[in-house]
Amino acid sequence: MSAPSTSCRINVFWHDGMLNHDTGKGVFDTGMNPGFLEVLEKHPENSDRIRNIVSILSKGPISSYISWHSGSPATIHQLLSFHSQEYVDMLIEADKNGGNKEICCGTFLNPGSFNAALLAAGTTLSAMKYILDGYAELAYALVRPPGHHAQPTQADGYCFLNNAGLAVQLALDSGCKKVLVLDIDVHYGNGTAEGFYRSDKVLTVSLHMNHGSWGPSHPQNGTVDELGEGEGFGYNLNVPLPNGSGDKGYGYAMREVVIPAVEKFEPDMMVLVIGQDSSAFDPNGRQCLTMDGYREIGRMVRRLVDKHCGSRLLIVQEGGYHVTYSAYCVHATLEGVLDLPHPLLSDPIAYYPEDETFAVKVIEAIKQFQMKNVPMLKDV
């Protein structure tokens, strides 16, 4: 069989130094040892989840469609395009003092963590630059620690540096007029939204579990009324989905809410922020996507970028904490983005029952709210 053409390949940017971020063990993500458990589990954001993604892309049936590239660390100057000097200085100081610091709830900066975060940020920037320089249309930044909760001035939710946000700013600085960020991680991409909350050059759309705020590090609620401010009003669209939303619910949200907004915005670059914690079997989410659902979202995204973005798409890895199933769902997402005619890999867990009735009702209410309150959608 001949190798796929360059237009049907995904350029994966990766560096194994990101595995050196050791998040430790304890009760779920607390790092706590209560003293009465025989077995302490690894923190959910551990290196095993990423090792399996690297492995399935290297050895799985999609491997012939993958081109591998090495990432490199971001410079401090690059970080300042999204983050404040004071926040970056705090991270540098914590790292110099040997790490071993809980920056915020569940988010541990240990020895090696800051270097891994610099690699994640730099690797994402390298992937975006590869597209912007015209070498490819499709690139995937396979990175950890994740980034979409990191706000300009603080860490949050396992995230230190906002990898996707840095890449979006690079695209804008390089001449892109309008950038779309679609985030399908199960948690609200609050950090990315916050970074562009006052901009009409970036449309941030987040499909997430309706979890609300979880404390001082995550003050945003992810509700439909968080629409942006100033020039950015109407350019932050939240789609908080009810627990249990699955393939049909997410598909309906894409068709009825996301695609119409993208059609009106007409971006010239797209960043797809992916997290497999929206899968049916993830310990950190309560949604029910399966491989088929991720695959279909990938197909829809491919049609959007082919129509609006000259096929240019950067994919950025975020969450996904089921060590096995997350890798399978990444495989399925990339199959969809490649718009392959048939699945390359079957679902090892397969059927999951879904009643989308309530999800559809919620999505319709979100759609009506946005059509009433978002200027660019009022005549959709």
mmCIF file of all heavy atoms in Angstrom, residues 358-378:
data_model
loop_
_atom_site.group_PDB
_atom_site.id
_atom_site.type_symbol
_atom_site.label_atom_id
_atom_site.label_comp_id
_atom_site.label_asym_id
_atom_site.label_seq_id
_atom_site.Cartn_x
_atom_site.Cartn_y
_atom_site.Cartn_z
ATOM 1 N N PHE A 358 -33.047 15.134 26.701
ATOM 2 C CA PHE A 358 -32.799 16.286 27.569
ATOM 3 C C PHE A 358 -31.682 17.161 27.018
ATOM 4 O O PHE A 358 -31.766 18.390 27.049
ATOM 5 C CB PHE A 358 -32.464 15.817 28.987
ATOM 6 C CG PHE A 358 -32.263 16.956 29.958
ATOM 7 C CD1 PHE A 358 -33.251 17.910 30.153
ATOM 8 C CD2 PHE A 358 -31.075 17.083 30.657
ATOM 9 C CE1 PHE A 358 -33.066 18.963 31.041
ATOM 10 C CE2 PHE A 358 -30.876 18.138 31.541
ATOM 11 C CZ PHE A 358 -31.878 19.075 31.744
ATOM 12 N N ALA A 359 -30.626 16.535 26.492
ATOM 13 C CA ALA A 359 -29.523 17.310 25.923
ATOM 14 C C ALA A 359 -30.010 18.189 24.777
ATOM 15 O O ALA A 359 -29.638 19.365 24.671
ATOM 16 C CB ALA A 359 -28.412 16.376 25.436
ATOM 17 N N VAL A 360 -30.855 17.648 23.921
ATOM 18 C CA VAL A 360 -31.399 18.427 22.799
ATOM 19 C C VAL A 360 -32.208 19.614 23.303
ATOM 20 O O VAL A 360 -32.106 20.731 22.771
ATOM 21 C CB VAL A 360 -32.253 17.516 21.881
ATOM 22 C CG1 VAL A 360 -33.082 18.351 20.912
ATOM 23 C CG2 VAL A 360 -31.361 16.540 21.112
ATOM 24 N N LYS A 361 -33.004 19.402 24.346
ATOM 25 C CA LYS A 361 -33.803 20.487 24.911
ATOM 26 C C LYS A 361 -32.893 21.602 25.439
ATOM 27 O O LYS A 361 -33.151 22.797 25.222
ATOM 28 C CB LYS A 361 -34.696 19.942 26.029
ATOM 29 C CG LYS A 361 -35.655 20.963 26.620
ATOM 30 C CD LYS A 361 -36.508 20.350 27.720
ATOM 31 C CE LYS A 361 -37.444 19.292 27.156
ATOM 32 N NZ LYS A 361 -38.388 18.802 28.205
ATOM 33 N N VAL A 362 -31.818 21.221 26.128
ATOM 34 C CA VAL A 362 -30.875 22.210 26.663
ATOM 35 C C VAL A 362 -30.179 22.957 25.531
ATOM 36 O O VAL A 362 -30.027 24.185 25.564
ATOM 37 C CB VAL A 362 -29.839 21.532 27.584
ATOM 38 C CG1 VAL A 362 -28.719 22.502 27.948
ATOM 39 C CG2 VAL A 362 -30.518 20.997 28.839
ATOM 40 N N ILE A 363 -29.758 22.225 24.517
ATOM 41 C CA ILE A 363 -29.054 22.835 23.386
ATOM 42 C C ILE A 363 -29.963 23.806 22.639
ATOM 43 O O ILE A 363 -29.528 24.885 22.218
ATOM 44 C CB ILE A 363 -28.501 21.740 22.442
ATOM 45 C CG1 ILE A 363 -27.401 20.947 23.154
ATOM 46 C CG2 ILE A 363 -27.963 22.349 21.150
ATOM 47 C CD1 ILE A 363 -27.095 19.605 22.517
ATOM 48 N N GLU A 364 -31.228 23.449 22.492
ATOM 49 C CA GLU A 364 -32.172 24.361 21.850
ATOM 50 C C GLU A 364 -32.318 25.654 22.647
ATOM 51 O O GLU A 364 -32.394 26.750 22.074
ATOM 52 C CB GLU A 364 -33.538 23.677 21.691
ATOM 53 C CG GLU A 364 -33.642 22.788 20.469
ATOM 54 C CD GLU A 364 -33.494 23.568 19.171
ATOM 55 O OE1 GLU A 364 -34.018 24.690 19.075
ATOM 56 O OE2 GLU A 364 -32.829 23.048 18.252
ATOM 57 N N ALA A 365 -32.338 25.540 23.975
ATOM 58 C CA ALA A 365 -32.432 26.738 24.814
ATOM 59 C C ALA A 365 -31.179 27.607 24.667
ATOM 60 O O ALA A 365 -31.270 28.843 24.608
ATOM 61 C CB ALA A 365 -32.636 26.337 26.273
ATOM 62 N N ILE A 366 -30.008 26.964 24.613
ATOM 63 C CA ILE A 366 -28.758 27.694 24.407
ATOM 64 C C ILE A 366 -28.778 28.403 23.052
ATOM 65 O O ILE A 366 -28.401 29.580 22.933
ATOM 66 C CB ILE A 366 -27.552 26.737 24.505
ATOM 67 C CG1 ILE A 366 -27.403 26.202 25.924
ATOM 68 C CG2 ILE A 366 -26.262 27.435 24.052
ATOM 69 C CD1 ILE A 366 -26.394 25.084 26.067
ATOM 70 N N LYS A 367 -29.234 27.699 22.044
ATOM 71 C CA LYS A 367 -29.319 28.271 20.695
ATOM 72 C C LYS A 367 -30.217 29.506 20.678
ATOM 73 O O LYS A 367 -29.853 30.550 20.104
ATOM 74 C CB LYS A 367 -29.842 27.206 19.732
ATOM 75 C CG LYS A 367 -30.054 27.682 18.315
ATOM 76 C CD LYS A 367 -30.634 26.550 17.465
ATOM 77 C CE LYS A 367 -30.971 27.012 16.070
ATOM 78 N NZ LYS A 367 -31.562 25.906 15.263
ATOM 79 N N GLN A 368 -31.363 29.408 21.299
ATOM 80 C CA GLN A 368 -32.292 30.540 21.318
ATOM 81 C C GLN A 368 -31.697 31.716 22.087
ATOM 82 O O GLN A 368 -31.843 32.884 21.675
ATOM 83 C CB GLN A 368 -33.623 30.118 21.937
ATOM 84 C CG GLN A 368 -34.396 29.097 21.111
ATOM 85 C CD GLN A 368 -34.657 29.569 19.686
ATOM 86 O OE1 GLN A 368 -35.039 30.730 19.463
ATOM 87 N NE2 GLN A 368 -34.434 28.692 18.713
ATOM 88 N N PHE A 369 -31.020 31.442 23.196
ATOM 89 C CA PHE A 369 -30.377 32.506 23.966
ATOM 90 C C PHE A 369 -29.330 33.221 23.129
ATOM 91 O O PHE A 369 -29.258 34.457 23.106
ATOM 92 C CB PHE A 369 -29.743 31.922 25.232
ATOM 93 C CG PHE A 369 -28.969 32.931 26.039
ATOM 94 C CD1 PHE A 369 -29.605 33.717 26.985
ATOM 95 C CD2 PHE A 369 -27.605 33.113 25.837
ATOM 96 C CE1 PHE A 369 -28.906 34.672 27.728
ATOM 97 C CE2 PHE A 369 -26.895 34.061 26.564
ATOM 98 C CZ PHE A 369 -27.549 34.839 27.511
ATOM 99 N N GLN A 370 -28.501 32.456 22.443
ATOM 100 C CA GLN A 370 -27.442 33.069 21.641
ATOM 101 C C GLN A 370 -28.006 33.852 20.466
ATOM 102 O O GLN A 370 -27.521 34.948 20.144
ATOM 103 C CB GLN A 370 -26.473 31.991 21.158
ATOM 104 C CG GLN A 370 -25.640 31.374 22.279
ATOM 105 C CD GLN A 370 -24.684 30.310 21.799
ATOM 106 O OE1 GLN A 370 -24.755 29.872 20.643
ATOM 107 N NE2 GLN A 370 -23.795 29.880 22.666
ATOM 108 N N MET A 371 -29.037 33.340 19.826
ATOM 109 C CA MET A 371 -29.641 34.055 18.699
ATOM 110 C C MET A 371 -30.256 35.386 19.144
ATOM 111 O O MET A 371 -30.293 36.350 18.387
ATOM 112 C CB MET A 371 -30.697 33.174 18.031
ATOM 113 C CG MET A 371 -30.111 31.997 17.263
ATOM 114 S SD MET A 371 -31.391 30.899 16.591
ATOM 115 C CE MET A 371 -32.172 31.972 15.390
ATOM 116 N N LYS A 372 -30.698 35.436 20.386
ATOM 117 C CA LYS A 372 -31.308 36.657 20.924
ATOM 118 C C LYS A 372 -30.263 37.658 21.403
ATOM 119 O O LYS A 372 -30.469 38.867 21.310
ATOM 120 C CB LYS A 372 -32.251 36.292 22.066
ATOM 121 C CG LYS A 372 -32.958 37.480 22.705
ATOM 122 C CD LYS A 372 -33.879 37.031 23.829
ATOM 123 C CE LYS A 372 -34.551 38.234 24.487
ATOM 124 N NZ LYS A 372 -35.451 37.810 25.613
ATOM 125 N N ASN A 373 -29.117 37.157 21.907
ATOM 126 C CA ASN A 373 -28.178 38.027 22.611
ATOM 127 C C ASN A 373 -26.840 38.244 21.923
ATOM 128 O O ASN A 373 -26.108 39.189 22.295
ATOM 129 C CB ASN A 373 -27.915 37.473 24.013
ATOM 130 C CG ASN A 373 -29.132 37.529 24.899
ATOM 131 O OD1 ASN A 373 -29.455 38.574 25.444
ATOM 132 N ND2 ASN A 373 -29.824 36.409 25.036
ATOM 133 N N VAL A 374 -26.486 37.418 20.949
ATOM 134 C CA VAL A 374 -25.197 37.551 20.272
ATOM 135 C C VAL A 374 -25.410 38.297 18.957
ATOM 136 O O VAL A 374 -26.108 37.800 18.076
ATOM 137 C CB VAL A 374 -24.565 36.170 20.008
ATOM 138 C CG1 VAL A 374 -23.267 36.306 19.208
ATOM 139 C CG2 VAL A 374 -24.296 35.439 21.331
ATOM 140 N N PRO A 375 -24.833 39.473 18.813
ATOM 141 C CA PRO A 375 -25.107 40.290 17.622
ATOM 142 C C PRO A 375 -24.915 39.563 16.301
ATOM 143 O O PRO A 375 -25.776 39.661 15.419
ATOM 144 C CB PRO A 375 -24.127 41.460 17.775
ATOM 145 C CG PRO A 375 -23.962 41.605 19.252
ATOM 146 C CD PRO A 375 -23.994 40.203 19.784
ATOM 147 N N MET A 376 -23.825 38.829 16.144
ATOM 148 C CA MET A 376 -23.566 38.222 14.831
ATOM 149 C C MET A 376 -24.499 37.047 14.531
ATOM 150 O O MET A 376 -24.563 36.573 13.400
ATOM 151 C CB MET A 376 -22.109 37.784 14.709
ATOM 152 C CG MET A 376 -21.721 36.562 15.511
ATOM 153 S SD MET A 376 -20.057 36.018 15.077
ATOM 154 C CE MET A 376 -19.808 34.711 16.270
ATOM 155 N N LEU A 377 -25.244 36.578 15.544
ATOM 156 C CA LEU A 377 -26.127 35.437 15.329
ATOM 157 C C LEU A 377 -27.593 35.824 15.237
ATOM 158 O O LEU A 377 -28.452 34.969 15.034
ATOM 159 C CB LEU A 377 -25.956 34.432 16.473
ATOM 160 C CG LEU A 377 -24.584 33.784 16.649
ATOM 161 C CD1 LEU A 377 -24.589 32.836 17.819
ATOM 162 C CD2 LEU A 377 -24.176 33.038 15.363
ATOM 163 N N LYS A 378 -27.908 37.106 15.380
ATOM 164 C CA LYS A 378 -29.310 37.515 15.441
ATOM 165 C C LYS A 378 -30.074 37.279 14.157
ATOM 166 O O LYS A 378 -31.297 37.144 14.172
ATOM 167 C CB LYS A 378 -29.402 38.986 15.867
ATOM 168 C CG LYS A 378 -29.087 39.194 17.338
ATOM 169 C CD LYS A 378 -29.310 40.623 17.777
ATOM 170 C CE LYS A 378 -29.059 40.776 19.281
ATOM 171 N NZ LYS A 378 -29.276 42.163 19.745
#
